[in-house]
Amino acid sequence: MSEVVIKGPEELDLMRQAGRLLASVFTYLDDHIEAGMSTMQINDLAEEYITQTLQARPSSKGQYGFPFVLNTSLNHVVCHGMPSATKLLKSGDIVNVDITLEKDGFIADSSKMYMIGAVSPAAKRLVDATYEAMWQGIKAVKPGTTLGDVGYAIQRHATAYGYSVVRDYCGHGIGREMHEEPQVLHYGRPGQGLVLQEGMTFTIEPMINQGKAKVKTKRDGWTVVTSDKLLSAQWEHTIAVTADGYEVLTLREGERDPSP
């Protein structure tokens, strides 16, 4: 197993830059994602904005052979949904858009749920609870706490709503590489796992299912769906451990912790 990479001040500044740029991609997409558009149109809009406007690189494209700039995971798709010119968004859909961006050698990773038109109360409840669960995990981050504390905070919130936490996929360290150590599980026991220290950077990206946690991968080799075909939601941010807590490097304009 490779070592966890601790970032110094200059590296963190570059990661902040990548994070700010990625946050701006979502702000841009907010004005465009709507019913009737295809998931490939989302991909193409993001690619043009990242490469032309931001002069950055969409780092998912070509990674592990993945041919697109982003993932679009719709309704019961848990993660790694592939954009399609024939898959059109319709009112009532929920879709996760997951994007990575590299600038000046450092990568940021974030995802956001979009609720299209009039979604059901049950779908909105899942989306909101998943967002809250991510923030519960984020707020557990500070030097001296453990990844078990982070995972436990997420799991406790999700299960309080009667949902399940996907265990097959997790967050990850990030920096010069998209996937670095450590693995960041979204479940766990307090006090267990890696002890956090200043300069660590990683993603927190819980996948929360309406029904059972079990998932399966479709024949395309990428698309992961719930086994029971019930809804799934995910949110993601790139986090840095600071001297006294955390910094959300991919925080979007106007975004805040949803806790009371």
Side-chain angles (χ1 to χ4, degrees):
M1 181 183 293
S2 59
E3 295 285 329
V4 174
V5 180
I6 302 298
K7 279 74 175 183
E10 292 182 1
E11 293 170 309
L12 284 171
D13 279 344
L14 290 170
M15 290 199 67
R16 287 187 188 96
Q17 173 187 236
R20 284 193 298 268
L21 294 178
L22 181 51
S24 77
V25 179
F26 286 98
T27 300
Y28 172 72
L29 291 176
D30 288 349
D31 293 329
H32 293 83
I33 293 178
E34 61 184 5
M37 74 183 305
S38 73
T39 53
M40 187 63 79
Q41 284 177 289
I42 301 174
N43 179 86
D44 294 346
L45 283 170
E47 181 166 24
E48 182 177 21
Y49 189 79
I50 291 170
T51 59
Q52 301 302 313
T53 302
L54 302 181
Q55 298 294 301
R57 181 177 70 88
S59 46
S60 292
K61 190 173 185 178
Q63 180 88 355
Y64 309 121
F66 189 74
F68 304 111
V69 166
L70 48 75
N71 297 117
T72 48
S73 299
L74 193 64
N75 297 326
H76 73 292
V77 178
V78 176
C79 60
H80 302 162
M82 301 179 80
S84 166
T86 59
K87 178 66 71 176
L88 304 183
L89 299 178
K90 62 183 187 299
S91 182
D93 284 340
I94 60 172
V95 59
N96 178 269
V97 178
D98 188 347
I99 311 173
T100 61
L101 177 150
E102 180 266 321
K103 181 71 171 180
D104 294 336
F106 283 87
I107 298 173
D109 189 358
S110 184
S111 80
K112 176 178 179 176
M113 293 297 299
Y114 287 87
M115 294 182 282
I116 309 302
V119 305
S120 70
K124 185 179 187 303
R125 181 176 185 267
L126 174 67
V127 170
D128 291 346
T130 303
Y131 184 69
E132 293 163 4
M134 176 190 66
W135 273 100
Q136 290 296 315
I138 291 171
K139 291 191 296 182
V141 172
K142 64 179 180 180
T145 62
T146 69
L147 286 180
D149 296 324
V150 174
Y152 176 74
I154 294 167
Q155 180 182 19
R156 179 178 58 185
H157 191 82
T159 56
Y161 278 81
Y163 301 140
S164 60
V165 178
V166 173
R167 295 185 173 225
D168 300 62
Y169 300 91
C170 62
H172 50 87
I174 189 169
R176 292 186 183 274
E177 302 293 334
M178 188 189 302
H179 294 113
E180 300 179 350
E181 291 297 327
Q183 291 191 336
V184 181
L185 304 181
H186 302 117
Y187 58 93
R189 295 182 179 180
Q192 294 194 355
L194 181 73
V195 177
L196 303 183
Q197 57 182 297
E198 183 180 2
M200 288 181 176
T201 53
F202 49 79
T203 69
I204 294 177
E205 48 179 299
M207 286 149 269
I208 307 299
N209 289 352
Q210 200 174 34
K212 295 179 180 178
K214 189 177 179 182
V215 301
K216 61 183 180 181
T217 303
K218 297 182 76 172
R219 290 180 185 175
D220 61 20
W222 287 101
T223 308
V224 178
V225 297
T226 57
S227 292
D228 55 17
K229 297 186 178 180
L230 294 178
L231 296 175
S232 185
Q234 180 187 20
W235 294 82
E236 176 182 14
H237 272 311
T238 296
I239 311 299
V241 184
T242 64
D244 58 359
Y246 64 84
E247 180 179 354
V248 181
L249 301 178
T250 47
L251 195 70
R252 294 179 280 273
E253 185 177 352
E255 187 181 14
R256 60 180 180 84
D257 172 6
S259 302

